[in-house]
Amino acid sequence: MDSKIDALVIGAGFAGLYQLHSLRDRLGLSAKVLEAGGDLGGTWYWNRYPGARCDSESHAYRYFFSRELNEEWEWSERYPGPPEILRYLGRVAEKFDLRRDIRFGCRVVSARYDETRNRWIVQTDSGEQYAATYLVAAVGCLSSANVPDIPGLGEFDGKWIHSGHWPHEGVDIAGKRVGQIGTGSTGIQAAPVIAQTAAHLTVFQRTPTYSVPARNAPLTPEFKRWVRENHEEIRAAVRSTPNGHAFRIAERNVADVTPEERQAIYEAAWEKGGLQFRATFRDLLADQAANDTAAEFLRGRIRAVVRDPKTAQALADIDHPYAAKRPPIDTDYFETFNRDNVTLVDLRADPIERITPRGIRTRSAEHALDIIVFATGFDALTGPLLAIDIRGRGGRALREDWRAGPQTYLGLQVPGFPNFFTVTGPGSPSVLTNMPVAIEQHVEWITDCIGHLRRNGIDSIEPDPEAARRWGAHVNEAANATLLSKAKHSWYYGANVPGKPRVFMPYAGGMARYRRICEDVAARGYEGFWLNRGSEREIPAARAGAAGEYAAVRGPGI
Ligand code: NAP
């Protein structure tokens, strides 16, 4: 079957659902979503590991395009978990009648641009074929599981699971000996919950990391009312902050206050909990000396909580600035190491040699296990796109073009791939933000862009390679203006996947600045893009100014 439609969207998470609604109901296009999962939800469909919970606060973790939707919906907790988020997305799908245009359980395996017909030909794993003028990849940034290639995994007699493919029926860990590899945001959430039911939990830690208490709690009726009544204010806040959260970064620098005041500020932020700890001072991510003060405070908390000095030392011996890697938030993570049934294995001192039929063997011991949990993260940002064989003009393969790292213009389009758009793609703020805010901005920009093409008889749009090159340089410049560039061993650099090019992938210039750049580019007639009508090519003249030069990055945007 070659089903012809105007637009195809890959993925039915936050991005795909809103993209479908926007293209179909605002532009009047025929549009379909193809989704690999058995239902909607994207990341929340797959990530159902114990302790999974959103790190963004619920009043900011939502769509803001519909006031009515927000008035009808009430979150129950400060940080929602997967079941509640899935109920929310289900409500969105119902309200905007989205399910009728979503095909579940069908994985896109290839997408090829047919130049003669100006169409994308998309194949699924079940052999179905679709043709569409516009192709939008709403595949998520963290959806390609990274299972490390540890020798012997195939011989393990027990069960092993990656956190991002947690079985929906659950895993019976009661009374079992569980080994967890990985202590990023996922591992830090999972360990305390696994420890409550497992006979024993062994946490295999390669790189220790900072964490601040989440302090999750049910929302009070007063807070819920405040959220309902302040839709516009909250919307304005998330759209104006550098990271799309509803909290503002303080105006002060660390050096503006006395050490006593600083301590009091950190203590108050620790008590309040959440990601806003990093918003206590505006230079925390720009100045090493400033960051050192936060890092030392957080290391001190670990030492104060964890009773065994050797374990405390292994947890607190952190090698990167605070928040230079994605900072986790937790519920009783460090306290978990005070339990009798929890052991920490410091892999820097005692590395994994292999997996045996009985468990995990490190240099010094064999750890007998019934279950191994891989909380080992994802082939982030580029992984989900490169999992699909995407071919643009002249059959050029995205996998080849990105061999040395992703090349995009604004993280929205790729040179040589006309009418192909990426929602929160590499080169956009994406994972450095509260995701729904970045998603909404991208979906709306893409929708406006396609609307512009159709109103003006333009067949296709693609970036000028030079504009993409300049944008790539700017993405680098933005990262180098922050301490994020000091944590080279992070998934932001692709360092967690062997052989992946080491390129800083998200845009660290800040969501608000990025939004202005995108608006400016569109207002200048899509500067930096080629607009094609048949064989004619319109090249909006690049003019000097903010969009042309992207304004020098002064200080961190995030
Ligand atoms: P991650 O941050 O990449 O952490 C993976 C962990 O596995 C790290 O501790 C890593 O150690 C370790 N690891 C990887 N390969 C290993 C190996 N071969 N041997 C030993 N250890 C290994 O992945 P994640 O925790 O799944 O989080 C990914 C991102 O997803 C987060 O940063 C966040 O953006 C998002 N997330 C969000 C939430 C939320 O909002 N609630 C929850 C979970 C995740 P190294 O550091 O040494 O590589």
Side-chain angles (χ1 to χ4, degrees):
M1 183 181 78
D2 185 344
S3 170
K4 288 204 193 85
I5 36 192
D6 293 322
L8 260 184
V9 179
I10 311 173
F14 264 89
L17 294 181
Y18 186 35
Q19 190 69 76
L20 170 62
H21 172 55
S22 301
L23 293 175
R24 191 191 67 184
D25 303 332
R26 292 192 186 139
L27 292 188
L29 304 190
S30 58
K32 280 236 168 310
V33 175
L34 303 177
E35 164 59 55
D39 203 348
L40 45 78
T43 206
W44 301 107
Y45 175 84
W46 299 104
N47 282 270
R48 303 195 196 191
Y49 57 86
R53 196 169 277 286
C54 184
D55 284 353
S56 294
E57 289 170 296
S58 55
H59 65 287
Y61 196 78
R62 50 167 58 200
Y63 296 113
F64 283 91
F65 68 84
S66 165
R67 184 177 187 135
E68 201 182 286
L69 174 68
N70 279 356
E71 276 164 7
E72 289 167 13
W73 183 261
E74 205 166 69
W75 293 108
S76 65
E77 293 178 273
R78 183 173 177 188
Y79 306 97
E84 194 172 18
I85 299 172
L86 292 172
R87 279 201 302 281
Y88 171 71
L89 292 176
R91 174 72 195 111
V92 172
E94 189 188 339
K95 184 173 176 65
F96 299 104
D97 192 15
L98 300 178
R99 282 185 185 274
R100 68 183 154 96
D101 286 311
I102 307 176
R103 190 105 162 67
F104 292 110
C106 87
R107 183 175 289 279
V108 171
V109 292
S110 70
R112 174 176 59 83
Y113 180 62
D114 177 343
E115 282 184 63
T116 50
R117 293 194 298 152
N118 185 33
R119 281 194 171 267
W120 280 93
I121 312 300
V122 172
Q123 302 266 4
T124 71
D125 56 355
S126 57
E128 285 180 335
Q129 181 166 298
Y130 294 82
T133 309
Y134 312 103
L135 178 64
V136 184
V139 290
C141 300
L142 296 159
S143 51
S144 244
N146 173 39
V147 179
D149 188 15
I150 302 175
L153 181 56
E155 296 158 24
F156 182 52
D157 281 341
K159 186 179 176 66
W160 68 266
I161 318 139
H162 185 278
S163 57
H165 289 287
W166 203 263
H168 288 188
E169 65 280 11
V171 178
D172 183 12
I173 50 179
K176 302 277 184 357
R177 296 162 302 175
V178 180
Q180 176 188 302
I181 305 178
T183 53
S185 300
T186 300
I188 280 180
Q189 286 185 332
V193 182
I194 292 175
Q196 281 165 22
T197 43
H200 194 90
L201 171 66
T202 309
V203 177
F204 296 86
Q205 170 191 272
R206 188 164 66 182
T207 309
T209 191
Y210 309 93
S211 185
V212 170
R215 308 226 187 269
N216 187 38
L219 296 178
T220 61
E222 296 73 42
F223 189 80
K224 289 178 184 174
R225 188 170 346 102
W226 176 80
V227 172
R228 248 193 334 274
E229 290 171 0
N230 288 278
H231 172 86
E232 292 305 332
E233 288 72 6
I234 300 169
R235 180 170 178 268
V238 299
R239 288 168 69 108
S240 63
T241 56
N243 45 33
H245 289 283
F247 56 82
R248 298 200 184 277
I249 294 177
E251 293 288 322
R252 60 186 171 228
N253 288 327
V254 165
D256 296 340
V257 301
T258 65
E260 295 71 31
E261 286 165 339
R262 189 179 72 215
Q263 181 71 9
I265 290 166
Y266 285 148
E267 275 172 12
W270 176 268
E271 286 312 315
K272 186 160 177 42
L275 289 173
Q276 62 254 61
F277 189 91
R278 70 181 168 178
T280 43
F281 295 99
R282 73 170 182 179
D283 55 347
L284 280 191
L285 276 167
D287 183 82
Q288 183 67 58
N291 191 289
D292 287 346
T293 64
E296 205 30 57
F297 175 88
L298 294 172
R299 288 194 192 102
R301 288 291 155 150
I302 300 171
R303 292 188 205 103
V305 168
V306 180
R307 286 200 286 271
D308 173 51
K310 205 165 151 242
T311 306
Q313 178 55 22
L315 289 164
D317 186 15
I318 305 171
D319 64 356
H320 53 273
Y322 166 63
K325 286 178 152 191
R326 159 72 153 76
I329 58 175
D330 71 275
T331 301
D332 297 337
Y333 176 64
F334 296 114
E335 288 80 351
T336 294
F337 292 95
N338 291 333
R339 294 176 67 110
D340 292 338
N341 70 334
V342 176
T343 313
L344 180 74
V345 175
D346 179 0
L347 296 180
R348 289 172 306 176
D350 189 13
I352 294 177
E353 289 192 333
R354 64 176 299 113
I355 294 175
T356 66
R358 272 167 42 87
I360 293 179
R361 195 169 72 215
T362 61
R363 190 187 291 158
S364 74
E366 185 178 33
H367 301 267
L369 301 168
D370 303 306
I371 297 173
I372 300 174
V373 174
F374 286 93
T376 43
F378 302 88
D379 181 354
L381 287 135
T382 50
L385 292 164
L386 297 180
I388 305 169
D389 183 14
I390 303 176
R391 291 180 185 257
R393 282 193 189 281
R396 62 197 283 177
L398 192 64
R399 287 172 186 160
E400 281 304 315
D401 281 12
W402 284 11
R403 200 164 272 283
Q407 294 164 45
T408 72
Y409 183 37
L410 303 171
L412 278 160
Q413 272 214 303
V414 185
F417 294 75
N419 285 350
F420 171 57
F421 299 89
T422 52
V423 182
T424 62
S428 76
S430 62
V431 291
L432 299 178
T433 70
N434 174 30
M435 288 302 292
V437 173
I439 286 170
E440 260 192 5
Q441 185 266 342
H442 262 198
V443 165
E444 286 166 6
W445 193 95
I446 291 167
T447 307
D448 289 350
C449 173
I450 293 176
H452 175 84
L453 304 184
R454 294 179 79 81
R455 277 194 309 278
N456 292 284
I458 298 163
D459 298 320
S460 66
I461 183 168
E462 64 194 282
D464 177 348
E466 175 55 21
R469 193 202 57 72
R470 275 193 295 125
W471 180 251
H474 179 62
V475 170
N476 247 327
E477 177 198 22
N480 289 336
T482 73
L483 295 176
L484 297 178
S485 59
K486 295 264 192 291
K488 288 282 189 302
H489 183 76
S490 84
W491 58 260
Y492 296 152
Y493 276 98
N496 61 332
V497 176
K500 192 166 172 170
R502 299 288 181 98
V503 176
F504 192 88
M505 293 180 289
Y507 176 58
M511 189 61 214
R513 177 189 285 150
Y514 174 80
R515 183 188 297 277
R516 280 198 305 277
I517 293 171
C518 290
E519 284 170 0
D520 204 14
V521 163
R524 290 161 182 258
Y526 293 92
E527 182 185 337
F529 289 94
W530 291 342
L531 306 173
N532 308 307
R533 283 187 191 85
S535 56
E536 308 254 300
R537 172 164 293 165
E538 184 188 320
I539 304 178
R543 278 174 285 164
E549 303 306 325
Y550 308 126
V553 177
R554 281 176 232 94
I558 55 159

